[in-house]
């Protein structure tokens, strides 16, 4: 929606922080500014980026989805199993992998909407179970031996731009359109802003919750396929810990964990900040142990800043 | 005479163990404003829930436009043009005005939300109601009064025929109430019928045509407003003649010393505010919403940072930077939003009473359950709090009893300056009297009270002395017999430099003893 306050201080501050980070690394990390490196950063964040769109939608309703990492794993290993062990066509296997993700998302949605299990518990449970499923599918051993044509999705380029980056941008664009301009999207914001009001306005709250988890699952499944194509290895550990990176990026992007507030254009900056931060630190060859320290610190800093700017506005 | 728009015929509703409505008859004419009065639990809200489709009646008929119904669903009620505005406003703070008005019914073009049309139509509806608002503004950035306007616009946009308003004026200041009444009159001329619920009886005479009194689930009487004299209404409501709305005033001893003194308070909103509070006194703070009353007490209480000013207690300057400091100095605040700011709804009566004071009950590292119980039961008894046990969750208590639980909390802390922000909002007539009696009791025990209220009658009825605020300044002071509606209004309204009426001292100097 275009409105007068469409670029508010918060988003500006976030963008400024991002630029500051870029300036810092372009001075202290040699080679950071090279176009190939920047494209590399974009490719590195693309998987997290795709998942973060689904996560944003869930968080906007006031929910959370911890199972995205496990879904990435199941979709990737599931598709790998179909391609290698069952010799199904690549495209069909990939689609089934994505739908598998959607189905797990739907299961999350049913548990949340129909059985009133809080999202945190629901997705904690599915996260644990479906990580197990990845190990069951692969019997604990990575699956190899994919046809080279499958690599296009994760490793191909259109001109100089990596295909995963294009996919991520498309997902962000579609997500923005959906959140900003469709009824469903506005209802997502409404539900997160005041659930009771949304109920009284005659919305089917359960259906919306079901949908947001299904979308999150689908996108995580999609990300799983892209990841598989990039690595060409169906390891049961794929996607482990993604949920935390994704939630970090979303929160960094200014989405309120309480629901109802935040935009995808903030989230994409959040995703990029995460990417630039780890890329820059690697170039500066900072000890990996210290990288964790810095990442956590940046998150706390960004959210703390956000909280305090909110207080002064009220 | 044409048939009424809406008729209820012997409608009944029971909950397990309670007869919430017992064979209610009710009628509503086209373009009529019909007041519903009664104490909490009298059955008003049950009737409203039946009309809005939230619950179904056990028996009886609803006749709307000659059509007879046994009950409706929420959707059906909306389609029939029945809408309600509840005490707790149901808006979505993060969406714009227009989006709130059309939430769930968004216009679409090519599958996308048609924002242009949405804003245009929202603007038209607001204009028809006599308001000009930026429909792109976020609802969360509006004040309560404007939020209510948005709720009404929401109802109007649904081609409302019957609008139910549950305590609409409770959060509004005097001039906002005036605006609301104008709006109600406007809706009336458009043929909208209004069912109006209020605990403030004075209002009824301004806008209502008829009034129906409920008590204990039965309809006691329906009167044309001209015959519904206030005393009669109250005695019908409580079922016995209630001679006074306010307990007799206890005079403040003339030798009573000043206990609390604030001087030159400044903050974003406050411009050099000073006040004095004497021991055993009820001090009222009057003014329109936004005049800065709440800000004054929040500044004293340390809830908001202040940029200047001093606070002295018993003549000694004290520094209060946070509510904790204030509480340690024996200054406590009962906030306006009882449920969100004052109570732990899910905790028991007992936990709520002793919560900030657990140190007192500590024995070694544990809490002394026996002495807690003793104190809590003592309070329940002396404040006459109606609860099944001290372990009952506060959630299940009526508004008046919830308020008493907070009062008990501060009495247990032995606070000597107690600040009440809107102490009786949403509390019914009988319970109000009990709260006032309780205030008097506190006063006679030597506690000092500061009371903020939008209900001017209430301030007049209980204050020993009263400051009137306007635009973040103390505009004047009224004492004892001089406290009346006209003087308050004159001071509260923003007529610059027209303050020197009889009994009004324009400055804070010369605080006279009564």
């Amino acid at each position: 929606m275009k409105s007068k306050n469409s670029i508010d201080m918060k988003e500006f501050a976030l963008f400024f922080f991002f630029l500051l980070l870029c300036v810092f690394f372009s001075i202290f990390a040699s080679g950071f500014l090279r176009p190939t490196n920047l494209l590399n950063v974009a490719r590195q964040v693309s998987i997290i980026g795709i998942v973060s769109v689904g996560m944003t939608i869930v968080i906007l309703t006031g929910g959370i989805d911890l199972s995205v990492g496990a879904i990435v794993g199941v979709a990737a290993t599931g598709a790998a199993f179909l391609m290698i062990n069952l010799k199904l066509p690549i495209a069909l296997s990939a689609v089934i992998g994505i739908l598998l993700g959607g189905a797990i998302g739907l299961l999350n949605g049913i548990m949340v909407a129909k059985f009133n299990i809080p999202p945190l518990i629901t997705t904690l449970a599915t996260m644990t179970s479906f990580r197990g499923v990845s190990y069951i599918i692969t019997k604990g051993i990575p699956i190899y031996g994919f046809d080279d044509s499958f690599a296009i999705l994760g490793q191909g380029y259109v001109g100089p731009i990596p295909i995963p980056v294009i996919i991520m941008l498309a997902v962000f664009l579609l997500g923005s359109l959906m959140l900003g301009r469709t009824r469903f999207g506005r209802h997502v914001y409404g539900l997160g802003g005041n659930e009771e009001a949304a109920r009284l306005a005659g919305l089917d709250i359960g259906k919306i919750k079901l949908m947001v988890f299904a979308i999150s699952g689908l996108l995580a499944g999609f990300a799983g396929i892209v990841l598989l194509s990039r690595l060409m290895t169906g390891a049961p550990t794929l996607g482990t810990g993604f949920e935390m990176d994704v939630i970090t990026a979303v929160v960094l992007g200014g989405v309120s964990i309480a629901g109802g507030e935040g935009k995808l254009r903030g989230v994409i900056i959040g995703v990029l900040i995460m990417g630039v931060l780890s890329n820059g630190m690697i170039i500066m060859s900072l000890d990996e142990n210290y990288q964790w320290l810095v990442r956590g610190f940046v998150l706390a800093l960004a959210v703390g800043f956000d909280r305090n700017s909110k207080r002064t506005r009220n | 005479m044409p048939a009424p728009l809406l008729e209820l015929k012997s409608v009944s509703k029971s909950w397990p163990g309670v007869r919430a409505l017992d064979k209610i008859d009710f009628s509503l004419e086209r373009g009529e404003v019909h007041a519903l009065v009664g104490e909490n639990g009298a059955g008003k809200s049950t009737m409203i829930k039946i009309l809005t489709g939230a619950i179904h009646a056990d028996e009886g008929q609803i006749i709307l436009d000659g059509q007879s119904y046994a009950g409706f669903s929420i959707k059906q009620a909306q389609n029939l043009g029945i809408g309600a505005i509840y005490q707790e406003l149901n808006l979505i703070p993060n969406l714009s005005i227009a989006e709130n008005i059309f939430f769930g019914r968004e216009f679409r073009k090519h599958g996308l939300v048609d924002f242009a049309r949405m804003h245009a139509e929202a603007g038209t509806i607001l204009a028809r109601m006599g308001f000009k608002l930026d429909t792109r503004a976020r609802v969360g950035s509006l004040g309560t009064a404007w939020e209510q306007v948005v709720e009404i616009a929401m109802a109007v946009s649904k081609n409302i025929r019957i609008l139910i308003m549950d305590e609409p004026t409770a959060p509004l200041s005097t001039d906002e109430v005036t605006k609301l009444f104008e709006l109600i009159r406007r809706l009336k001329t458009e043929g909208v019928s209004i069912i109006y619920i209020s605990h403030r009886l004075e209002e009824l005479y301004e806008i209502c045509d008829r009034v129906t009194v409920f008590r204990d689930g039965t309809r006691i009487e329906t009167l044309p407003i001209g015959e519904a004299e206030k005393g009669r209404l109250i005695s019908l409501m409580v079922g016995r003649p209630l001679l006074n709305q306010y307990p007799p005033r206890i005079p403040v001893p003339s030798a009573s010393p000043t206990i609390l003194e604030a001087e030159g308070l400044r903050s974003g909103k406050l411009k050099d505010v000073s006040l004095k509070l004497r021991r055993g006194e009820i001090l009222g703070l009057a003014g329109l919403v936004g005049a800065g009353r709440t800000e004054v007490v929040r500044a004293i209480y340390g809830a908001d940072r202040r940029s200047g000013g001093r606070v002295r207690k018993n003549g000694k300057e004290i520094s209060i930077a946070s509510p904790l400091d204030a509480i340690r100095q024996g200054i406590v605040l009962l906030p306006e939003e009882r449920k969100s700011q004052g109570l732990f709804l899910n905790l028991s009566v007992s936990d709520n009473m002793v919560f900030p004071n657990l140190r007192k009950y500590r024995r070694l590292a544990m809490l002394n359950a026996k002495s807690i119980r003793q104190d809590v039961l003592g309070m329940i008894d002396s404040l006459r709090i109606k609860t099944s046990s001290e372990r009952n969750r506060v959630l299940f208590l009526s508004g008046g009893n919830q308020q008493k639980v907070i009062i008990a909390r501060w009495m247990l802390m032995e606070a000597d300056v107690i600040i009440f922000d809107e102490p009786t909002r949403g509390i019914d007539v009988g319970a109000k009297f009990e709260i006032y009696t309780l205030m008097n009791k506190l006063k006679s025990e030597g506690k000092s009270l500061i009371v903020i209220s939008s209900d001017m009658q209430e301030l007049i009825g209980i204050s020993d002395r009263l400051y009137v605020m306007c635009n973040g300044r103390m505009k004047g002071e009224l004492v004892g017999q001089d406290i009346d509606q006209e003087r308050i209004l004159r001071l509260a309204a923003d007529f610059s430099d027209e303050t020197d009426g009889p009994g009004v001292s324009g400055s804070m100097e010369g605080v006279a003893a009564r």
Side-chain angles (χ1 to χ4, degrees), chain B residues 110-399:
Chain B
H110 314 306
L112 298 180
V113 175
D114 187 350
F115 283 107
R117 178 161 171 222
M118 188 186 267
H119 286 292
E121 302 236 353
T124 313
I125 288 164
L126 288 167
R128 207 175 100 201
M129 288 164 51
F131 295 99
K132 208 166 173 292
L133 281 175
D134 176 11
T135 59
R136 289 172 206 278
R138 283 162 52 110
V139 160
S141 66
L142 306 170
T144 318
W146 289 113
E147 285 181 19
Q148 210 167 51
V149 167
V150 174
E151 283 237 9
I152 295 172
M154 208 154 123
V156 168
S157 76
K158 293 176 187 163
N159 289 318
I160 195 91
R161 291 196 297 167
I162 299 174
L163 180 60
I164 300 163
M165 304 177 98
D166 191 358
E167 293 273 353
T169 55
L172 303 186
S173 68
T174 320
D175 64 335
E176 286 166 341
V177 169
T178 315
K179 269 195 202 126
L180 178 73
F181 288 172
E182 269 168 35
L183 181 54
I184 289 176
R185 287 186 198 106
R186 209 163 170 141
L187 291 172
K188 223 177 119 156
T189 58
E190 296 193 4
V192 177
S193 307
I194 290 159
I195 298 176
Y196 189 92
I197 299 175
S198 180
H199 286 306
R200 298 188 189 167
L201 299 179
E202 302 79 31
E203 293 174 359
L204 308 187
Y205 303 97
E206 285 194 51
I207 44 153
C208 294
D209 302 301
R210 282 193 297 168
V211 50
T212 289
V213 182
F214 275 57
R215 192 204 319 146
D216 301 331
T218 55
R219 191 195 59 135
I220 301 297
E221 186 100 66
T222 298
L223 297 165
I225 196 69
E227 293 169 27
E229 182 257 325
K230 192 170 163 190
R232 185 172 173 197
L233 276 186
I234 291 174
S235 57
L236 286 173
M237 280 162 65
V238 297
R240 64 194 142 81
L242 191 67
L243 294 174
N244 276 306
Q245 256 185 288
Y246 303 99
R249 231 182 278 252
I250 305 165
V252 184
S254 55
S256 200
T258 296
I259 179 162
L260 186 79
E261 203 176 352
E263 204 179 272
L265 294 182
R266 284 169 206 279
S267 73
K269 191 133 191 189
L270 302 177
K271 299 152 193 154
D272 191 15
V273 170
S274 302
L275 64 77
K276 278 182 183 166
L277 176 67
R278 298 168 62 212
R279 191 178 142 83
E281 176 184 55
I282 298 182
L283 175 68
L285 270 186
L288 307 177
V289 164
R293 298 167 304 173
T294 300
E295 286 77 4
V296 170
V297 294
R298 284 179 65 90
I300 293 175
Y301 189 58
D304 292 335
R305 205 170 293 169
R306 53 172 203 264
S307 55
R310 277 188 302 236
V311 178
R312 276 192 291 272
K313 190 156 177 254
N314 293 323
K316 271 194 299 220
E317 184 160 340
I318 54 174
S319 105
I320 295 175
S322 71
L324 186 62
D325 293 341
I327 293 168
R328 287 201 176 124
Q329 295 288 349
I331 302 170
V332 299
L333 172 75
L334 281 75
E336 176 178 16
E337 301 290 335
R338 198 160 51 231
K339 286 183 183 160
S340 64
Q341 298 177 358
L343 287 167
F344 307 96
L345 289 173
N346 278 318
L347 295 185
S348 69
V349 169
S350 170
D351 287 341
N352 267 283
M353 280 190 200
V354 299
F355 185 82
N357 201 15
L358 291 173
R359 183 185 295 264
K360 177 172 155 189
Y361 300 101
R362 205 165 52 180
R363 201 173 50 185
L364 301 177
M366 308 286 277
L367 291 171
N368 184 347
K370 205 171 135 196
S371 84
I372 288 180
R373 195 175 134 82
Q374 196 178 3
D375 279 6
V376 168
L377 289 182
M379 276 297 158
I380 291 176
D381 191 48
S382 79
L383 304 192
R384 292 196 291 145
I385 298 173
K386 275 185 214 141
T387 172
S388 55
S389 92
E390 82 281 7
R391 290 190 305 274
N392 195 10
R393 287 203 269 166
V394 155
L395 189 67
F396 300 123
L397 269 55
S398 73

Side-chain angles (χ1 to χ4, degrees), chain A residues 180-181 183 186-187 193-194 260, chain B residues 91 94 99 103-104 106 113 115:
Chain A
R181 299 294 315 264
R183 265 169 95 151
R186 303 317 293 167
H187 291 172
N194 184 345
Chain B
L91 293 169
N94 49 315
E99 281 198 89
F103 191 76
E106 293 85 355
V113 175
F115 283 107

